[in-house]
Amino acid sequence: SQELEQSPQSLIVQEGKNLTINCTSSKTLYGLYWYKQKYGEGLIFLMMLQKGGEEKSHEKITAKLDEKKQQSSLHITASQPSHAGIYLCGAASNSNSGYALNFGKGTSLLVTP
Amino acid sequence: NAGVTQTPKFRVLKTGQSMTLLCAQDMNHEYMYWYRQDPGMGLRLIHYSVGEGTTAKGEVPDGYNVSRLKKQNFLLGLESAAPSQTSVYFCASRVSPGYDEQFFGPGTRLTVL
C-alpha cells in the first residue's frame, strides 16, 4: 500500500513568517490532495494536484507536485493565526479501496503573535 | 446544500454497549467512506461503499459493521464497543472515482469507557 510521510510533524512559527510542509510518497502519486483540519473539526479541502510540476495557489497557500510525482510541498506565505491547524496530505488509492484517500499523519501548525 | 452531516457529534459508551453512527449527504454522491482518526495514526479507512446497497471492508474493519440502504445514508455500527474504539470518526463522500474532491463530515467523537 502507498505510504505518505509528512514533515515536519509539528511547526510553530511567528505570525508573518513563511513556512513549508512536505509530503513524500513511497509510490508515484496520481492525485495528491491537501486538506486542512482545525482542531476538533472536520477536514477542509484546499487543493488537488495531478500533473508532475503542477502548482496551485489559494490565497496565501501554494502547493506543488514535483516532476517525479513522489513529493508535494505546501507553502504558506506571511502566516496568520487563521492558518493554524493540522495539514494533511492524501493520495488517491485504487479500486481495491473504493478510491478512498490514503493520508499522511499530518503536520500540526501553530502561529504565534 | 448541507453537504456531509454526521450524528451524533459526541457520544460516551460503556464497554459492551452498541450504537450506530449516521452519515448523510445531499450531493447525490455514489461513493461514501468511514474513517477513524487517532493520535499518531492519522486517518484510517474502516469501510466504504461504491453505491446504494454495496459495502466493502477497508483497512481496519474489525468490530464495525456498515449499511447503505439508501444512497444518501451510510451507517456505521458498533455491536459491542471496546475501549480501543475510542476515536474520532469521519464520514466522507465523493461523486466519482476520478480525481475529484472528497467531502468530509464534521466528525463524531466517541469515547468508550
Side-chain angles (χ1 to χ4, degrees), chain B residues 48-93:
Chain B
Y48 64 93
S49 168
V50 299
E52 181 179 311
T54 73
T55 63
K57 295 179 180 180
E59 181 186 355
V60 287
D62 293 343
Y64 305 95
N65 56 74
V66 287
S67 65
R68 182 106 181 261
L69 298 179
K70 293 182 180 180
K71 187 177 183 178
Q72 63 268 33
N73 297 335
F74 195 25
L75 279 64
L76 179 71
L78 286 74
E79 290 187 348
S80 180
S84 61
Q85 294 178 304
T86 293
S87 186
V88 181
Y89 292 86
F90 287 100
C91 176
S93 73

Side-chain angles (χ1 to χ4, degrees), chain A residues 68-113:
Chain A
K68 294 183 178 180
K69 296 173 65 174
Q70 284 200 267
Q71 187 171 27
S72 178
S73 59
L74 184 85
H75 184 77
I76 298 178
T77 303
S79 59
Q80 301 169 352
S82 60
H83 289 128
I86 300 172
Y87 289 81
L88 294 152
C89 65
S93 66
N94 56 27
S95 60
N96 290 338
S97 298
Y99 302 97
L101 297 182
N102 298 316
F103 285 93
K105 294 181 180 179
T107 295
S108 177
L109 172 64
L110 181 63
V111 180
T112 61

Side-chain angles (χ1 to χ4, degrees), chain B residues 4-25:
Chain B
V4 181
T5 58
Q6 293 182 233
T7 52
K9 291 186 178 180
F10 302 94
R11 186 72 186 268
V12 178
L13 289 179
K14 294 181 179 179
T15 297
Q17 287 184 318
S18 63
M19 78 163 293
T20 300
L21 283 67
L22 171 64
C23 174
Q25 51 92 6

Side-chain angles (χ1 to χ4, degrees), chain A residues 5-11 19-24 34-35 62-64 71-76 83 85-89 106-109:
Chain A
E5 187 170 330
Q6 287 187 237
S7 63
Q9 285 186 322
S10 62
L11 201 52
L19 64 107
T20 299
I21 298 168
N22 294 305
C23 176
T24 303
W34 283 101
Y35 283 84
T62 300
K64 185 173 182 179
Q71 187 171 27
S72 178
S73 59
L74 184 85
H75 184 77
I76 298 178
H83 289 128
I86 300 172
Y87 289 81
L88 294 152
C89 65
T107 295
S108 177
L109 172 64

Side-chain angles (χ1 to χ4, degrees), chain A residues 30-31 33 35 37 39-45 48 50 86 88 92 95-106, chain B residues 31 33 35 37 40-43 45 48 50 57 59 90 94 96-107 109:
Chain A
Y30 292 101
Y33 296 71
Y35 283 84
Q37 182 180 23
Y39 297 103
E41 299 183 13
L43 280 71
I44 301 168
F45 174 77
M48 189 274 285
Q50 198 172 338
I86 300 172
L88 294 152
S95 60
N96 290 338
S97 298
Y99 302 97
L101 297 182
N102 298 316
F103 285 93
K105 294 181 180 179
Chain B
Y31 292 73
Y33 310 89
Y35 293 88
Q37 185 178 37
M41 301 293 291
L43 280 147
L45 182 67
Y48 64 93
V50 299
K57 295 179 180 180
E59 181 186 355
F90 287 100
R94 67 193 307 176
S96 74
Y99 299 114
D100 58 329
E101 180 181 347
Q102 191 166 304
F103 293 81
F104 281 82
R109 188 173 294 273

